[in-house]
Amino acid sequence: MAGISLRKARTIIRKALEHGRAEGMKPLSAVVLDDGGNPIAFERGDGASPGRYGIAHGKAYGAVMLGMGGRAQRDRAEAQAYFMAAANGVYGGAVVPVPGGVILRDARGRMLGAVGVTGDSSENDEAAALAGIAAAGGLTAEP
């Protein structure tokens, strides 16, 4: 697999948003980025606030740029706040270091990009991202 296709990105997003609705979550928004941090696809669920793109993007962008999922970023920020503050400064404040940013890997372990989901609690956002990734098939998720 050369990367994440638009079709697979849309599937991840659709299934993540469906998971959120099925679980009674607040309206979600989701983005899929390639391994360079560039958007492949984004959707803002009905009723989701308009600023959600920036948060979803920041969750996924941090995962790609730092090579660690949102959960790992949060843990690192709690242990070494100065590191995450410095890293976020390097990336122009575009990193949102909380759960909901999930790295996508292929069967060989190569990073293909990341998913960012936002709209509910960070833990619920992460669960929706994982559901979308599982439904798309052929990918390994690294929260």
Side-chain angles (χ1 to χ4, degrees), residues 113-136:
V115 176
V117 176
T118 184
D120 204 276
S121 70
S122 293
E123 288 73 20
N124 284 343
D125 294 345
E126 179 181 274
L130 293 173
I133 295 164

Side-chain angles (χ1 to χ4, degrees), residues 1 3-13 32 132 136-139:
M1 179 186 288
I4 303 167
S5 68
L6 177 59
R7 181 175 175 208
K8 190 159 278 217
R10 286 179 172 164
T11 297
I12 292 167
I13 290 170
V32 176
L139 299 169

Side-chain angles (χ1 to χ4, degrees), residues 1-87:
M1 179 186 288
I4 303 167
S5 68
L6 177 59
R7 181 175 175 208
K8 190 159 278 217
R10 286 179 172 164
T11 297
I12 292 167
I13 290 170
R14 180 172 40 88
K15 293 298 188 176
L17 297 182
E18 286 176 6
H19 176 84
R21 286 190 299 273
E23 294 296 315
M25 293 179 192
K26 295 175 184 172
L28 301 178
S29 296
V31 68
V32 176
L33 305 182
D34 67 16
D35 63 353
N38 304 297
I40 298 171
F42 169 77
E43 287 190 29
R44 183 170 59 96
D46 292 339
S49 62
R52 290 294 172 178
Y53 174 79
I55 298 169
H57 181 272
K59 289 181 176 189
Y61 190 74
V64 170
M65 292 297 123
L66 296 172
M68 64 176 85
R71 182 172 296 277
Q73 291 176 57
R74 182 208 50 207
D75 294 348
R76 183 80 181 262
E78 289 173 353
Q80 295 178 310
Y82 61 88
F83 170 79
M84 286 306 294

